[in-house]
Amino acid sequence: MHRVEQFLTMLESERRYSSYTLRNYRHDIYAFIEWLKVDVDNFNIDDVERDDIKEWAIYLFEKRG
């Protein structure tokens, strides 16, 4: 199990997030990783920079209008 799924499992078991919240988190996290053009198995949150998040937000704003 890679780190994203470990994180989601923790949210489910320790924080008791609903299945709908987890589904949405999973979708958004994987979409962000895909946008970064990083293989999910090699994704490391420590490599994400503030500018990556800003550019992702701009991308979403432009995409969704």
Side-chain angles (χ1 to χ4, degrees), residues 6 11-12 14-15 35-36 43 65:
Q6 288 174 341
L11 292 179
E12 181 179 32
E14 294 179 21
R15 304 260 176 107
W35 179 83
L36 286 171
F43 177 71

Side-chain angles (χ1 to χ4, degrees), residues 8 11 17-32 56 64:
L8 294 168
L11 292 179
Y17 281 26
S18 76
S19 60
Y20 297 111
T21 300
L22 293 168
R23 179 196 64 197
N24 293 334
Y25 274 29
R26 179 176 281 106
H27 174 268
D28 292 343
I29 291 168
Y30 282 108
F32 179 62
W56 169 248
R64 296 178 182 167

Side-chain angles (χ1 to χ4, degrees), residues 3-62:
R3 297 176 98 182
V4 173
E5 292 303 321
Q6 288 174 341
F7 172 69
L8 294 168
T9 299
M10 182 274 301
L11 292 179
E12 181 179 32
S13 62
E14 294 179 21
R15 304 260 176 107
R16 305 211 191 301
Y17 281 26
S18 76
S19 60
Y20 297 111
T21 300
L22 293 168
R23 179 196 64 197
N24 293 334
Y25 274 29
R26 179 176 281 106
H27 174 268
D28 292 343
I29 291 168
Y30 282 108
F32 179 62
I33 293 170
E34 182 179 328
W35 179 83
L36 286 171
K37 296 180 175 56
V38 175
D39 180 64
V40 70
D41 293 326
N42 297 320
F43 177 71
N44 184 344
I45 191 67
D46 295 329
D47 294 336
V48 176
E49 297 183 7
R50 179 175 280 181
D51 285 343
D52 295 326
I53 297 169
K54 286 180 184 179
E55 289 176 28
W56 169 248
I58 291 168
Y59 165 78
L60 289 177
F61 178 77
E62 291 173 350

